[in-house]
Amino acid sequence: MRFVLAIVCFVLAALSIGLGIAQRTVFALPKETSASVELDTSAKVTVIDGETLNAFPRSQTVAISGARTIFAAYGRTTDVNAWIGDVSRNDITMTEEGKFVSKLTSGSGDDLPSPEGSDLWYLDYTKETALRITINVPEDVSLIIMSDGVAAAPSRVSVTWPLDNSTPWAIPLVVGGAIVLLLGLALLFWAVSHLRSARGPRRKSQKMPKLPRQPRYKPSRVRPKAIEGRPSKKAIEAPRGRRSSRTSMIAVLPVVLVGSLVLGGCSTDFLAANSPQPPPVAVASPEAADAEVTEAPAVTKPQANRIIARISAITAEADTDRDAAVAATRLAGPALDLRLANYKMRKADKTIKALSAIPAGPVELTLPQQNNDWPRTVFAIVQNDVDEEGQKFYVAVVMIQDDARSQYKVHYAITLEPGAVIPKVASAEVGTNRLSDDIGLLTIAPSDLAMAYSDVLMKDTESENYDLFEAEGDTLRVAVGLAAKKTAQKKLPSTAKLIYESALGNGQTVTLTTNDNGALVAVNLNEIETVKAVEAGAAVNAPKTVKSLLGKSLSTKGIKATYGDQLLFYVPPATEEGGKIVLLGYSQGLIAASELK
């Protein structure tokens, strides 16, 4: 039997080790699979959708060639389609056999901008002659392939996917086979050893039988008979010994079994009736699930970081060269007006300083709008600088993208108050909603916010809107409020008169919701200072900044200077009792100057 077991172990060991080695050699799967296609159309764009890219799991390695300049980028499928518009395109898909096919979709348009550096792309690549990239994109992301936007798209495209050819059972099979082999060897050695020891003499010398012992005599005791009707001591005592305990266990076992069966039959109903029940779980219906579907955020956090870095670099270049055209590629609205005026002033007077640069990062907060369409809005807070005492300064930027082919432009670049506290907002992965200017769910409608605050600056406690705003921490009220205005008027000579006015600026009112149903509101307010001569023949002196824009230092007619205020407020919901509007930050500067007629 030992020889048989040893042979069985040897056979099992051979099979196990052989199968383990075969998994790494004969039965090994390929490391990767690929598909390719040759394009022969004049279309300028080729698209591979996310479903095709995810035909196999894990990452995708894309190789592109067949053009002098090769560009590739990936972004949300909806964004890619919106950027292409009605232009002829090649769509690459995969057949059931695992082969690439290309379908040409003709379009009515043929005009395409340069795709390089578009804010829509998550990442983009440009290279001469050939390009090879490795990506890992989800199914709602597509890859766009182009040349320079003028020539036809590259003609050769291939995608390679790595395959999982790991053999997790190879080593265990080899190790297990080795163990079984050792066991077989041990059985073989044991069998041989036993066989050798069994060859000796088998007869043994017999011993004489021993005589049996004589039984001892024990006198018997006569026990008294039990009294009738009274049990004897023997009857009362429990049976002893192994057999008696077995008898008692056998007697008790049916009772226990019957009791268990009875209790088992009624336990389910009893527990169901008496045990506390968990609360019912609400299951959302398909209609309810569809109602809760929200639009995707305009940008991802890494995407926003790249956009802000690009804006910072371009505006820094424009500030250095005082180039209005370059600045206009990344600035708009109040932010552009303030910088263009600064360029004019610096050109006329070299002593005037440039505005603070828009920092490149780090980006402390990203709040994109939930929007699959355009225009799209993104709010972000960027760290600007650190003073000698280690205090950090921050700039809040409001960026707007008008359409799919446009870049994000900064409409507001607002320096936050030193002690400003930003209310809790949604994460960048979720995004927020942009509300209409006349929404009635806040303490004040966003369209009325700028002029209401202007009234406070003009009248202070006499304003009917004074109680709506938080006075503590409002440094702009100290700098240009009623007290500052009266001081400036007193400094003028008796031959001149200073008049203050205010009006809405040309900037958009941007309202983004916060987690407490309040809103972050960015508004543009213009404060107008008019200085007139009150005596005949008197002249009005212009300050240095006004002079640089006006082109003259004296005027007998009068001077009108317009200062643009970029204001960021937190407006609480209308349901919050006693909630006050808080000025979170502002940027102010001269944007226009003219002589009265």
Side-chain angles (χ1 to χ4, degrees):
M1 190 64 186
R2 296 178 183 88
F3 284 107
V4 174
L5 293 176
I7 294 172
V8 171
C9 288
F10 291 149
V11 173
L12 292 177
L15 291 175
S16 180
I17 295 173
L19 184 59
I21 295 174
Q23 284 191 351
R24 290 291 185 93
T25 56
V26 180
F27 299 149
L29 297 174
K31 295 182 179 180
E32 60 186 24
T33 184
S34 62
S36 61
V37 66
E38 292 277 347
L39 305 173
D40 57 356
T41 69
S42 60
K44 300 178 181 179
V45 184
T46 299
V47 178
I48 308 177
D49 60 30
E51 184 177 354
T52 302
L53 290 172
N54 285 273
F56 297 91
R58 305 169 74 182
S59 62
Q60 308 96 22
T61 299
V62 185
I64 310 167
S65 60
R68 175 177 294 182
T69 301
I70 298 176
F71 170 85
Y74 61 91
R76 279 193 301 179
T77 300
T78 53
D79 292 353
V80 171
N81 293 334
W83 188 88
I84 295 173
D86 192 16
V87 174
S88 298
R89 53 190 280 180
N90 302 310
D91 288 292
I92 296 177
T93 58
M94 179 173 283
T95 64
E96 295 181 356
E97 293 78 17
K99 296 182 179 180
F100 272 170
V101 294
S102 175
K103 178 184 178 183
L104 174 64
T105 303
S106 300
S108 59
D110 194 39
D111 184 22
L112 275 177
S114 173
E116 191 172 354
S118 173
D119 290 342
L120 285 183
W121 318 136
Y122 291 154
L123 278 178
D124 59 287
Y125 311 86
T126 304
K127 199 172 181 181
E128 299 295 325
T129 308
L131 175 65
R132 183 181 179 88
I133 58 175
T134 299
I135 58 178
N136 191 356
V137 300
E139 290 192 358
D140 61 346
V141 170
S142 293
L143 180 70
I144 179 173
I145 300 170
M146 295 180 61
S147 180
D148 55 1
V150 177
S155 58
R156 291 183 292 275
V157 179
S158 68
V159 181
T160 303
W161 296 268
L163 297 179
D164 185 9
N165 64 344
S166 60
T167 53
W169 287 101
I171 294 178
L173 285 172
V174 173
V175 173
I179 294 174
V180 175
L181 178 61
L182 293 176
L183 179 60
L185 292 174
L187 289 171
L188 180 62
F189 177 77
W190 186 19
V192 172
S193 176
H194 182 270
L195 181 62
R196 288 180 179 179
S197 62
R199 291 179 180 178
R202 298 185 179 182
R203 292 188 178 181
K204 295 183 180 180
S205 57
Q206 297 181 355
K207 294 181 181 181
M208 294 298 293
K210 294 181 180 181
L211 296 175
R213 291 184 180 182
Q214 296 294 330
R216 292 181 182 181
Y217 173 75
K218 292 182 180 181
S220 60
R221 293 183 180 180
V222 179
R223 296 179 182 273
K225 294 183 179 179
I227 302 174
E228 187 175 353
R230 186 175 184 181
S232 65
K233 185 177 180 180
K234 185 176 181 180
I236 295 175
E237 291 181 355
R240 299 179 180 177
R242 211 176 272 177
R243 182 173 297 178
S244 62
S245 61
R246 290 177 183 173
T247 306
S248 61
M249 289 295 294
I250 293 172
V252 173
L253 186 59
V255 178
V256 175
L257 291 175
V258 172
S260 300
L261 292 174
V262 173
L263 292 176
C266 65
S267 60
T268 304
D269 295 336
F270 177 80
L271 292 175
N274 294 276
S275 61
Q277 298 296 316
V281 178
V283 179
S285 62
E287 293 78 10
D290 292 340
E292 295 177 359
V293 172
T294 57
E295 295 184 88
V299 296
T300 63
K301 193 172 183 179
Q303 192 178 2
N305 292 347
R306 287 192 296 272
I307 293 171
I308 292 173
R310 291 171 181 170
I311 292 174
S312 176
I314 292 175
T315 53
E317 177 187 347
D319 290 348
T320 301
D321 301 335
R322 300 191 303 270
D323 193 328
V326 173
T329 62
R330 282 300 192 174
L331 300 174
L336 179 61
D337 293 342
L338 185 59
R339 259 178 165 72
L340 294 183
N342 179 259
Y343 294 168
K344 291 180 181 179
M345 290 186 288
R346 288 168 53 204
K347 184 177 181 180
D349 188 344
K350 304 297 182 182
T351 62
I352 297 177
K353 295 182 179 180
L355 297 174
S356 298
I358 297 177
V363 180
E364 301 292 338
L365 175 67
T366 303
L367 184 62
Q369 177 191 5
Q370 293 177 348
N371 194 1
N372 292 334
D373 207 344
W374 281 269
R376 295 177 177 179
T377 304
V378 177
F379 175 86
I381 295 179
V382 191
Q383 181 179 324
N384 187 18
D385 202 356
V386 180
D387 62 10
E388 297 177 355
E389 299 179 356
Q391 183 178 3
K392 297 179 180 179
F393 294 92
Y394 299 93
V395 174
V397 294
V398 178
M399 303 178 292
I400 298 176
Q401 185 182 38
D402 293 329
D403 55 65
R405 295 184 180 178
S406 299
Q407 300 287 62
Y408 276 96
K409 294 183 179 181
V410 174
H411 284 239
Y412 291 93
I414 302 171
T415 302
L416 296 184
E417 295 274 26
V421 178
I422 303 297
K424 292 183 178 181
V425 295
S427 65
E429 293 74 20
V430 176
T432 188
N433 293 317
R434 179 173 174 176
L435 304 178
S436 61
D437 296 348
D438 57 351
I439 189 74
L441 301 177
L442 303 174
T443 304
I444 189 173
S447 57
D448 299 331
L449 179 59
M451 296 309 297
Y453 183 72
S454 171
D455 193 59
V456 174
L457 294 179
M458 297 287 289
K459 302 177 183 177
D460 201 56
T461 55
E462 298 298 323
S463 171
E464 61 180 5
N465 302 311
Y466 181 82
D467 293 334
L468 291 177
F469 295 87
E470 177 63 57
E472 185 178 355
D474 188 347
T475 59
L476 181 60
R477 192 180 304 194
V478 176
V480 298
L482 180 61
K485 287 178 170 59
K486 289 182 177 180
T487 301
Q489 289 173 336
K490 291 179 181 179
K491 289 182 179 180
L492 285 178
S494 58
T495 57
K497 182 181 181 181
L498 177 59
I499 301 172
Y500 290 99
E501 297 174 294
S502 59
L504 282 176
N506 64 353
Q508 300 182 34
T509 299
V510 178
T511 307
L512 301 174
T513 58
T514 58
N515 288 355
D516 60 354
N517 295 324
L520 296 171
V521 184
V523 296
N524 180 209
L525 175 67
N526 286 342
E527 295 185 89
I528 304 168
E529 296 181 0
T530 304
V531 182
K532 295 180 179 180
V534 295
E535 293 183 4
V540 176
N541 291 322
K544 180 174 67 172
T545 54
V546 176
K547 174 187 172 182
S548 61
L549 279 183
L550 187 62
K552 58 171 62 178
S553 57
L554 293 175
S555 173
T556 58
K557 299 179 180 179
I559 298 173
K560 179 180 179 182
T562 303
Y563 294 85
D565 295 348
Q566 302 173 52
L567 308 175
L568 177 65
F569 293 95
Y570 164 67
V571 182
T575 56
E576 182 179 334
E577 294 185 6
K580 292 194 174 184
I581 303 170
V582 180
L583 178 67
L584 299 176
Y586 67 90
S587 293
Q588 186 191 51
L590 180 67
I591 60 173
S594 60
E595 186 177 20
L596 298 180
K597 296 181 180 180

